[in-house]
Amino acid sequence: MRAAAPGVLLVLIMAQPNLATGMMPYYRHAWDLAPLLITVIFAAYLFALTPTLSFIGTPPARAAWWWRIGLGSACGIGADLAMSLADSAGPACVARVLAGLSVGLVTGSLAGLILERSGEGGRTAMATATVLGSALGTIAAAWVAQYLPAPGVTVYLGHAVLLGIVAMAVLLDRSARDQVAVGAQRPALPSTEPRIAGYLNGIAAWVSAGLVVALLPSYGAELLDTTNLPLLALPVTLYLVSAWIVQRAVPPGRLPAEPLIGQLTIIAGVALAATVAAAPSLAVLLTGAVAAGCGQGIAYRTGLRIVSAATPPDQHARVASRYAAVAYLCAAVATIGFGVVATLGTMQDAVIAAALVLVAVAAATVLVRKRAVPQAIVTEATTTTA
């Protein structure tokens, strides 16, 4: 139970910002939201998460875990209460800011606690908890909102109660008596890829996530002419699960031109989703979501591997936080841009705009990789001569 509790808390923390995703078609109708406001609500979370994760989300030592876990959990409960009382986009943005603070504060500390209690297996547990929380939050909120009374209240109050109970259990058990050795860690070998290619992969991964999470449910509702929330939440859920599965199924470094394969797969998925406007089909929309999710998983992992190559173990957390912060910030700006396009035009226009942005990012990746090849040859020749 001691080993499981931090993982369960991470699931609940990651679920909170995704509850609104599964309910967004409901909010769009109930609050009469324009697409721009939908994307602003989504981006508010990322704008809060990015600085929190960058500046205070990485604890310097074990003693600094606990106040972050406590305060972050309290922010998560506050986000639940704010959303349960929200009746427009303004209060919803406040709730999303609290959710961003919650995830930014808690993630690093829970990662340390999970590794302490589970050893190397904790790395898989962290990845699983992150995706499981996001997927469960999306689909569970949709089911509760569809079939239980007071859809804008019930799901958040239930989540707040669960979050409070599990957070208390974690905070009351701070003993390290069953600490598991994490094992010796060695820096990765230097990457032959330019670091900017890594950041471009992270940007592509999260720009696609912004599009899928913020707009895809409303896009599906508009084109498939349905108000069934679990059905509309299914593409987002499959996107998230696919991103996790592909990281487990495909070992890193096995794909040719991996920094491009992930991005091209994302583009293919988004382009497939765009065709639903011409020929409405749930199967095509789901297939596009799965393809984009697979690309997202490959691109994000590849980017992180490139930027953290040859980084000492004690600097991994800071490098990962900086990488995530860049990706989140670009995703927030791009998502608001997609909202502007959808508001001035149509949802289909926003999906096409996202595809074009992703193509531009992929083209930039090709360019920086080509420029890096001659430099790598010169460096290798110099080293050999010396």
Side-chain angles (χ1 to χ4, degrees):
M1 180 60 188
R2 295 191 72 236
V8 174
L9 181 57
L10 184 56
V11 167
L12 291 171
I13 289 291
M14 294 307 302
Q16 205 293 322
N18 290 279
L19 298 178
T21 301
M23 297 174 62
M24 195 51 72
Y26 162 79
Y27 287 130
R28 186 186 180 198
H29 174 74
W31 297 347
D32 192 25
L33 294 176
L36 176 58
L37 285 178
I38 295 175
T39 56
V40 168
I41 291 172
F42 171 81
Y45 163 70
L46 294 179
F47 281 129
L49 171 60
T50 299
T52 305
L53 192 63
S54 300
F55 298 114
I56 59 175
T58 305
R62 188 181 192 277
W65 292 349
W66 308 107
W67 73 263
R68 287 174 169 83
I69 292 174
L71 181 58
S73 298
C75 287
I77 294 172
D80 283 328
L81 296 179
M83 281 301 294
S84 69
L85 297 173
D87 58 0
S88 63
C93 285
V94 173
R96 297 286 289 175
V97 168
L98 288 171
L101 294 174
S102 173
V103 174
L105 282 166
V106 167
T107 302
S109 297
L110 283 180
L113 187 56
I114 291 171
L115 282 172
E116 177 186 273
R117 295 184 180 180
S118 301
E120 284 296 336
R123 300 189 187 281
T124 300
M126 285 186 293
T128 301
T130 299
V131 177
L132 183 63
S134 301
L136 280 180
T138 300
I139 196 69
W143 276 93
V144 171
Q146 183 72 33
Y147 298 111
L148 293 183
V153 177
T154 306
V155 63
Y156 291 106
L157 294 186
H159 180 268
V161 171
L162 287 175
L163 179 56
I165 292 173
V166 177
M168 190 61 65
V170 171
L171 290 171
L172 291 176
D173 185 7
R174 305 186 184 186
S175 172
R177 62 182 180 276
D178 60 350
Q179 182 171 342
V180 179
V182 173
Q185 298 181 11
R186 297 178 181 177
L189 294 176
S191 174
T192 58
E193 298 286 348
R195 181 164 291 194
I196 186 64
Y199 282 107
L200 287 170
N201 268 264
I203 291 168
W206 266 89
V207 165
S208 76
L211 173 73
V212 171
V213 173
L215 289 179
L216 203 60
S218 297
Y219 178 69
E222 185 177 284
L223 296 179
L224 301 176
D225 193 26
T226 180
T227 58
N228 186 288
L229 294 179
L231 188 64
L232 295 172
L234 192 55
V236 179
T237 305
L238 289 178
Y239 172 88
L240 293 168
V241 173
S242 298
W244 174 73
I245 289 176
V246 76
Q247 291 187 49
R248 312 262 105 40
V250 181
R254 294 291 180 88
L255 297 174
E258 197 171 57
L260 287 174
I261 289 295
Q263 295 189 47
L264 293 177
T265 307
I266 293 173
I267 293 169
V270 173
L272 191 59
T275 66
V276 177
S281 168
L282 177 61
V284 172
L285 186 62
L286 296 180
T287 303
V290 170
C294 289
Q296 200 272 356
I298 294 170
Y300 194 80
R301 180 188 65 187
T302 301
L304 181 58
R305 183 166 58 86
I306 292 171
V307 301
S308 63
T311 300
D314 61 349
Q315 294 298 313
H316 279 175
R318 294 189 182 278
V319 170
S321 294
R322 183 166 59 245
Y323 171 73
V326 170
Y328 294 160
L329 183 60
C330 290
V333 174
T335 302
I336 291 177
F338 301 151
V340 172
V341 172
T343 300
L344 297 177
T346 65
M347 287 285 188
Q348 183 190 17
D349 294 335
V351 176
I352 294 173
L356 293 176
V357 169
L358 291 167
V359 168
V361 174
T365 304
V366 172
L367 183 61
V368 298
R369 292 181 81 230
K370 281 186 175 180
R371 288 185 174 179
V373 170
Q375 295 176 5
I377 294 175
V378 171
T379 301
E380 184 178 352
T382 303
T383 304
T384 303
T385 303

